[in-house]
Amino acid sequence: MSPKALIVGAAGAVGKRLCQALSRAGAEVVAADRMQFIPSTVRYVASKCVGSIDVRDASALRQLFKEHADEKTTVWNLASPLSVETALKPEIAEEVTIVGMTNVLEAMKQVGCRRICFTDSIGSFGGTSPRDEVAARWLVDNPTQDPGSDYGRQKRACRELLDAWRQEHGGDPRVAVLPGVLHSEPVWGNGTTEYALDALQAASRGQPFACPIDPDVSLPMVYVDDLMRGLLALQFADEHELTEPQRLYNIPGLSFSAAQLFDEIRHFKPDFEVTYGPRDPNMDKFAKLWPNSLSAHEPLRDLDYEPDVTLPAMVAGVLNAHSGRRLSSKAAFRSIDTCSSGRINDYMLEKYVSKYLVRGRERSGYIARRQDMVSDIVSKLMAVMDIDKDGVVSMDDFLAWSSKNSLEAFVEEFYEERVESMERELNELRRLAPGGRQAIRHA
């Protein structure tokens, strides 16, 4: 029987990749998220997707677990704001992180789940922690240290809840201490180490970058491919192999300063310009609080994990992904702009969507056909791409939108959302109509 994993927060940056990694590993993946409509990148790999699951809603979580989990299910709780997001709205972050964890554990209890995996952060380390090669167990050995932020304190509260779960209910909690996560996706959250992603995107576009932190402070990072290997190793390890206190493990990658990153970028983009300041007060504060590097000894010993991706390989990979995405967007624009005017309108866009993006089997033909939705799709596309509302979209506006979106994904997700909405309406009509399904059929 395939292992089953229920991922709460599946539509986030880590959640999407974890769904894919677990699916490739042969696991049955149930993806849950507070988003009403789960992104297509998750839907294509998950066995089941459940939207509108807010971890602050204990009732919704209990129903989710009742329907989709049992005693053999591994739970991943990834619902937690990033460092800067937490600093800006600490009260909401506390509800999501701490109250959410409490609700998840209660829902697990009702169906007999034991194993839960949680992503902690380098944000749990404060100014008194060692600077270099710090082990995750330092957090256990120094439980009263001040992490210097609401973000770190909330993570600590979750570790305490998980340790109580282990001692009082025989649970099997596993905690991954994550450094900054690097990837080539077009969108990311508002964290501290995300400055590196901002810089790489700016370089790929030929734009200058304003560094928001001290350029000489090193921070630990991990490329997402390495991260997935580490997280899967943590989930699938036998309990007796996990010898660290509270089963707390670093998932190390590589460490570098902003200055080192910029030097590496210039090997590929020699004209990359950087200015220093003004510094972001939250990002600069956190960068100086957190350690320079993480110990790799414990995850290698117990999880057989060590990172593969180097700084040059990471920079090359991310720049190539961004540049490739931009070239593809330019090619798409030129295909839509059939008269080479440098601008596209709704008529051109409708022809392109109808010819190239609405193709293949109509999986929900009795409910909705994609060809019938083209006008609505184009109207919505023009609304989000036509920045100045003059009825046309310039190449620059199209590229700006495409840097974080995809025409193909937009069309597919519009279709999926519309079908799901129509199916709900149809089911409600069946429920209310006298005679149910037969009455609808003969109406």
Side-chain angles (χ1 to χ4, degrees), residues 108-127:
M108 289 176 63
K109 191 188 305 182
Q110 77 170 1
V111 297
C113 278
R114 291 187 61 246
R115 184 169 298 179
I116 177 171
C117 300
F118 175 65
T119 50
D120 202 331
S121 164
I122 53 172
S124 290
F125 294 100

Side-chain angles (χ1 to χ4, degrees), residues 9-82:
V14 173
K16 286 187 284 191
R17 289 298 191 100
L18 185 59
C19 287
Q20 295 166 2
L22 284 169
S23 178
R24 286 195 298 268
E28 177 187 352
V29 177
V30 177
D33 197 86
R34 64 184 177 88
M35 294 178 63
Q36 182 179 1
F37 298 106
I38 305 297
S40 57
T41 50
V42 175
R43 290 201 308 269
Y44 292 152
V45 298
S47 304
K48 180 69 177 179
C49 292
V50 186
S52 302
I53 298 295
D54 190 326
V55 290
R56 296 171 293 180
D57 185 342
S59 176
L61 278 176
R62 287 195 298 270
Q63 188 64 29
L64 172 71
F65 277 73
K66 181 179 179 181
E67 295 178 0
H68 300 292
D70 57 30
E71 66 277 2
K72 295 182 180 179
T73 302
T74 296
V75 177
W76 280 90
N77 181 14
L78 303 177
S80 178
L82 296 177

Side-chain angles (χ1 to χ4, degrees), residues 12 82 134 214 218 242 257 276 329 360 367 370 379 415 433:
L82 296 177
V134 59
D214 185 330
S218 290
L242 302 177
S257 67
Y276 297 93
S329 297
I367 298 174
R370 280 175 287 186
S379 293
Y415 170 70

